[in-house]
Amino acid sequence: MVSPAIALAFLPLLLTLIIRYRYYFVLFYRAVLVRIWKDCVTGLSREERAFQYVLTNSTPGDPDSILDAFDYWCSKVEFISNIGPKKGKILDRLLMEQSPLTVLELGAHCGYSTVRIARALPLGARLYSIEMDQGNAAIAEKIIRLAGFDDDTVELIVNPSDEVIPRLRSDYNLERLDFVFMDHWKKCYLPDLQLLEGYGLLGKGSMIVADNVLFPGAPKFLRYLRKCGLYEWKIHRATLEYSRGIRDGMAELIYQGIK
Amino acid sequence: MPGDTLITSENDTDIELDFAGVEDFQENHKREKHNGKRRNGDRQENKRENQRRKRSSKSVQGIREESQSKTERRERSRRRKGKAEHETSGHEGNKRERDQTRAKSTKSKKNIKNEKTRKLEGKEDGEAQEKSEKGKLKLVCTKNEEKIESGDQLKEKEKALGVKKKKKRRKKVVETSSEPETSEDGDDEEEVNNDGEVRPELLSPEELEKLKEAVDEKKKLIQSLRGKPWPMKQKLVTLRESQLFVEKYEGALGKGKGRKLYAYKVMMTKKWMKFQRDFENFKTACIPWEMKIKEIESHFGSSVASYFIFLRWMYGINMILFSLTFGLVMVPEVLQFLNLNCTFILFIALYIYFILQVRLILLCTFFEQALMGRPYGSIPRKTVPRAEEAGAMDFAVLWDFGGYAQYSVLFYGYYNNQRAIGWFKFRMPLSYFLVGVGTVAYSYMVVIRTMARNANESGIGDDNSFNFSWKMFTSWDYLIGNPETADNKFASITTSFKEAILEEQESRKDDNIHLTRFLRVLANFLVLCCLAGSGYLIYFVVRRSQKFALDGLENHTWWERNEVNMVMSLLGMFCPMLFDVISTLENYHPRVALQWQLGRIFALFLGNLYTFIIALMDAINLKRKEEKVVKYNITMWEATLYNGTGSENSTAPPITIHPADVPRGPCWETMVGQEFVRLIISDTMTTYITLLIGDFLRAVLVRFLNHCWCWDLEAGFPSYSEFDVSGNVLGLIFNQGMIWMGAFYAPCLPALNLLRLHVSMYLQCWAVMCCNVPQERVFKASGSNNFYMAMLLVILFLSTLPAIYTIVTIPPSFDCGPFSGKNRMFDVIQETLESDFPAWFSKVFSYASNPGLVLPFILLMVLAIYYLQSTSKSYKEANVELKKKLQMQNEENKKKNKQAALKAQMDLEEAKKSASQTAEHQRNNNDSVQRQEDDEEIDNKNQRMYHGRNPSPSVGNREPHFPVRDPGPRNAHNGNHGNPRYLPGFHQQSEPRMCRVPSLERH
């Protein structure tokens, strides 16, 4: 029988762990516990709840108000891992500088980043957004339409990314992608990047932006970047969306081709 | 042109050979071979120089006899060479010859050409002829110039302007006369050519004088090179050349024997230097763990390395403590087994190396008969009591240092109170006491001395001015010969740069001061709460353990029995982590944060330690009460024993009782020793287990689970651990404190500590390299070194306090330990004084210890300390003043230099302006002759420079000066240049701007 005094001696350790990793605990609570609880109570999925909120609290046809509503809901009510306002600004800046004409988005989730990108695109540009999940795609579709983007600007493709990328050239007549935004499964970053390379969709100067490369993190992706030498790349350091203490980064790659 | 290619190739070989020579020297090859090579190199260089000279001279003069005498001369030269160095290996000689013949052939070719042109010259007009000649040699010349001056077109043209006039004048002189001179020239060249090396025997006194002057000049140049306003590249080139020159010709100054001696001296100095370097390396290799620490330093920065250096230092101290206790206390007591005289131990130890086993055994038997001893089991204090005998060998008992371990040499109770043992009357109790005092005194001495030395070092060091320059230019360690070490050094320099930059950044930061203050107060409050909580917990546990002790320890579980140690170790481990987390609130500079952290952990450990000691005091009091009872019982027991036997038969010898059966008192000293040993053991175990679980297991999990985890473990949440410098240092310091405290009652403690430190060194080195990552905020720890020492001193003081208190106030146990039977432990000194020293000595001692003498002495000491301190303070101030003065002077000098430079620049610009004007003027006039002027620049640069330096027209009509080594009188008129251009290894410094001056004057 371990005496209570010895158990008490572990209290400082417990406190240390709690204080040091408080942000992770908060994240766990908001992203997992609250979600499960709400799922049980409302019977709706998280994305549907977000959509309901956005529908009631934003101006249709105004992408900014939709984004604001999303940000508020994600930071105050529940947690959805969108790109978030801070990293979103970096993304906006990159898009403004690049002003790409063909954009591919991997992982639309519920349309936040799609709206964000579409809003920053120049006239006549086209955004292809790939989402694997049917339900999410339906919501993303609604959000996109709510923001006032039509089929010519944003095309939503409901399929896993590794199936779509090989068919991009044949089915969608894409020759070259100017800008790729990755925010789907972190494990798929590397294979999808290699697929893009393999099918020749990247030209010299194409920009690829990958979110969440530090947390949850895509170590293999980063290791590949370091090794392959095809890209000029850097990491924009920031914190995780809707959270202060967890460090995260967004990788910006510019394809240089084989020299 | 073949000549050109030849020259370049020769150039290459020359350099190669030279390198080979140097390497040879370093590798200590055979002297003859080396000399041969060097000479060879020299010769080739000479030759090259000659050729250059010849080429320049050829353009203006023909050497008629040359082609005829060529073969003859070659023969002669070969003979001479053969004489000079018949030791050189065959292929080298071949090569040299080949080179020579090649050079000769090209020379002769050129000569033929020259002769042709001379004929032409006779017929045709001077200018036209010159043009054709120059056309042929143009290629050579321009290339040559490009090589030296990295081709600046504009300058070249300008130079050409300058050269032209000179050329014309010279032409006239040559054509008019100087047949004998030419021959002389030829001879001269021949000599140089054949000679290879400048031979002092062949030099005239004037030449020697000149040579000496030149060497001196070069030496001066080397010395003053640093202050010259040249580009780095030029400086390097000049330095190398001058060094080569000096090295080559310095030896030539001596004659015959003296020269040999000189060469010998040079070689010996070089060898000596190499030996010194090797010896340094050897010394470094002898320092234990130096490489390990260096490696860690290069990867983790100096703060982590400082911990390991501290650990090593601690190891050294413990080594000495251990040898003291082991040699003077433990070994004498143990060796009584063998019945050897204790003062002979040292001799025996030496003997073991030198004499045979048999003789040793003979010696032993001899001593066995002559000496008496008290081995294990001979007296009660050296025997396990009957009641404990059954479980005395159980591991659990031994692990708690009970059973056989308790009744062994490891603890105080085992030692006998016999006043002198053996033939040589080794005073065991006195030695025990003195060793106890000596270890503490030695520790004080070492710590204070180290502190003083550290303070000195920090006082002398430059305080952060020119920090980056120091790092930039002085950080490389040129003694590194190992590529791996070089990598490490590289990493370490990079780290140090990072540290410096970070520090600079930290010093420039300023934030909201009120918020920071509030947060700091809050953090301290939290830490205080934490300290109070841990103190209370320990107090609670100690009280509980006393209750357990009263109940009898056997009725409780292992957990409950070891509660105090466990709780103390756990708190000591986890509370620093909490402090660390709290300290992030404060936002201090990492070094300051480290000191705060150290201070807090210090307070924590101190509180824990003193709670423990208080508990121990209680335990001692309990034991002493028990002892009284036992003492009474023993008298009763003895009385009954002797009564019982006495009544039966009074004449019979007293019955022998086995020592195990004799009743014993509870030896409190042994108990204290046991407690300390247990504490040390549990502390060590906790440290190692934390290391294995917290660092190693974590690292393994992070490393191998990373492949199949949903986030990045390495960069994100658990990640690898950092090395905790402050916690480790304090752990070490407190460990040492416990050793100092407990060593008197458990002589085995230094040995245990030695073992622990040794294992720690390897384990922690390994753990750091394999499972820790460098701290994110790397910083320098140089300043905190003395901080550790100060802490160590405080701990030393605090740990000697309780030890002294127990020694002075508590009477020793009556039946165990070296002081049994005495009223106080320090009575042993009095006893020794009375019985072992003459009466007068004890009298003197008693007088000396009289307060009337002691107090003035103390007063004197205080005064002396005060005086020394004030003088040192004034010295410090003077130092600071001097430093300031130096800085001021520096600044003034800088200002002056700046002004001078500005002035020079202005002058230069003016000159440039006027020059450009004249140049333009000239271009307008001489447009038609431009090409010729261009051609004329083939001429050697010597001439140009010469011209440039002596712009006065009076010098202009002088005969052409050829860069040949000619006898003194001829050279006398240009001696004022001080630039002996006739010697190889000296490349002219062209001064392009000055070249324009003559042209200016001409117009």
Side-chain angles (χ1 to χ4, degrees), chain A residues 110-126:
Chain A
C110 43
Y112 178 91
S113 49
T114 319
V115 171
R116 188 131 208 157
I117 295 170
R119 167 181 90 141
L121 285 182
L123 214 63
R126 197 168 160 80

Side-chain angles (χ1 to χ4, degrees), chain B residues 388-405:
Chain B
E388 294 173 25
E389 229 167 31
M393 243 354 231
D394 290 357
F395 179 74
V397 174
L398 284 180
W399 185 247
D400 274 349
F401 287 89
Y404 282 105

Side-chain angles (χ1 to χ4, degrees), chain B residues 264-309:
Chain B
Y264 184 71
K265 230 164 70 184
V266 166
M267 206 163 65
M268 281 323 282
T269 42
K270 286 208 169 165
K271 265 187 181 164
W272 172 241
M273 270 159 69
K274 185 172 156 40
F275 170 75
Q276 270 180 329
R277 199 190 304 160
D278 284 349
F279 189 67
E280 275 312 306
N281 285 347
F282 175 71
K283 270 204 300 202
T284 318
C286 280
I287 301 171
W289 303 306
E290 181 72 3
M291 286 305 284
K292 264 184 185 202
I293 292 174
K294 281 268 181 285
E295 200 182 341
I296 286 169
E297 184 172 13
S298 60
H299 284 100
F300 290 88
S302 46
S303 68
V304 175
S306 77
Y307 165 72
F308 283 97
I309 290 168

Side-chain angles (χ1 to χ4, degrees), chain A residues 102-105 126-130 155 157 168 172 174:
Chain A
T102 33
V103 179
L104 177 70
E105 188 200 13
R126 197 168 160 80
L127 166 65
Y128 298 87
S129 188
I130 299 176
E155 175 148 3
I157 305 163
L168 275 178
Y172 299 95
L174 279 176

Side-chain angles (χ1 to χ4, degrees), chain A residues 1-6 8-10 12-13 15-16 19-21 24 187 214-217 219-220 223 247, chain B residues 537 541 544 557 559 563 566-567 570-571 574-575 577-578 580-581 698 706-707 709-712 716-718 776:
Chain A
M1 167 60 199
V2 178
S3 75
I6 292 176
L8 259 180
F10 279 93
L13 178 69
L15 277 176
T16 311
I19 294 174
R20 185 169 286 169
Y21 301 117
Y24 294 92
K187 287 220 167 77
L214 295 186
F215 184 88
K220 280 182 191 164
R223 210 167 297 144
R247 279 179 306 162
Chain B
L537 190 62
V541 169
R544 230 162 79 108
T557 57
W559 289 105
E563 211 175 42
M566 291 275 289
V567 167
L570 287 177
L571 281 180
F574 297 140
C575 280
M577 287 186 192
L578 192 57
D580 198 27
V581 166
R698 180 171 163 188
N706 204 20
H707 293 295
W709 204 259
C710 55
W711 67 75
D712 192 357
F717 167 33
E776 268 178 72

Side-chain angles (χ1 to χ4, degrees), chain B residues 252-506:
Chain B
L253 288 178
K255 273 197 177 179
K257 240 184 176 178
R259 195 162 144 244
K260 253 183 205 165
L261 192 72
Y262 175 81
Y264 184 71
K265 230 164 70 184
V266 166
M267 206 163 65
M268 281 323 282
T269 42
K270 286 208 169 165
K271 265 187 181 164
W272 172 241
M273 270 159 69
K274 185 172 156 40
F275 170 75
Q276 270 180 329
R277 199 190 304 160
D278 284 349
F279 189 67
E280 275 312 306
N281 285 347
F282 175 71
K283 270 204 300 202
T284 318
C286 280
I287 301 171
W289 303 306
E290 181 72 3
M291 286 305 284
K292 264 184 185 202
I293 292 174
K294 281 268 181 285
E295 200 182 341
I296 286 169
E297 184 172 13
S298 60
H299 284 100
F300 290 88
S302 46
S303 68
V304 175
S306 77
Y307 165 72
F308 283 97
I309 290 168
F310 188 64
L311 180 61
R312 185 175 62 186
W313 183 80
M314 215 60 138
Y315 185 82
I317 289 197
N318 274 286
M319 196 71 145
I320 288 171
L321 296 191
F322 167 72
S323 52
L324 268 177
T325 28
F326 188 74
L328 293 176
V329 173
M330 286 167 92
V331 170
E333 192 70 23
V334 170
L335 273 196
Q336 290 182 48
F337 277 134
L338 305 174
N339 288 342
L340 284 180
N341 191 302
C342 299
T343 46
F344 255 50
I345 293 150
L346 284 177
F347 297 106
I348 295 295
L350 286 175
Y351 238 45
I352 288 167
Y353 288 104
F354 295 118
I355 63 168
L356 291 171
Q357 197 78 27
V358 185
R359 288 175 68 188
L360 183 70
I361 288 166
L362 278 176
L363 204 78
C364 287
T365 48
F366 167 69
F367 279 119
E368 211 167 299
Q369 285 167 0
L371 296 172
M372 42 171 247
R374 294 247 181 257
Y376 173 82
S378 57
I379 48 174
R381 69 183 64 177
K382 297 194 178 191
T383 327
V384 179
R386 193 66 77 194
E388 294 173 25
E389 229 167 31
M393 243 354 231
D394 290 357
F395 179 74
V397 174
L398 284 180
W399 185 247
D400 274 349
F401 287 89
Y404 282 105
Q406 187 182 347
Y407 299 97
S408 74
V409 77
L410 303 180
F411 292 106
Y412 172 92
Y414 181 84
Y415 293 86
N416 198 359
N417 63 341
Q418 195 180 358
R419 211 176 75 76
I421 48 179
W423 265 0
F424 287 85
K425 303 260 180 260
F426 186 75
R427 307 289 194 272
M428 190 59 215
L430 181 69
S431 152
Y432 196 98
F433 189 79
L434 288 183
V435 163
V437 173
T439 48
V440 172
Y442 171 77
S443 310
Y444 269 113
M445 202 182 70
V446 166
V447 171
I448 288 174
R449 210 179 51 193
T450 316
M451 274 182 84
R453 203 190 303 137
N454 280 355
N456 258 353
E457 267 170 24
S458 62
I460 288 165
D462 198 275
D463 28 30
N464 291 337
S465 46
F466 316 119
N467 195 2
F468 285 95
S469 306
W470 280 116
K471 280 210 165 58
M472 185 82 190
F473 294 112
T474 62
S475 21
W476 189 253
D477 183 359
Y478 286 93
L479 289 177
I480 289 175
N482 174 6
E484 215 167 300
T485 328
D487 282 352
N488 279 351
K489 185 70 191 173
F490 178 76
S492 130
I493 290 172
T494 322
T495 322
S496 81
F497 261 104
K498 272 186 207 159
E499 283 173 4
I501 291 169
L502 209 96
E503 240 162 69
E504 207 70 8
Q505 275 176 353
E506 291 286 334

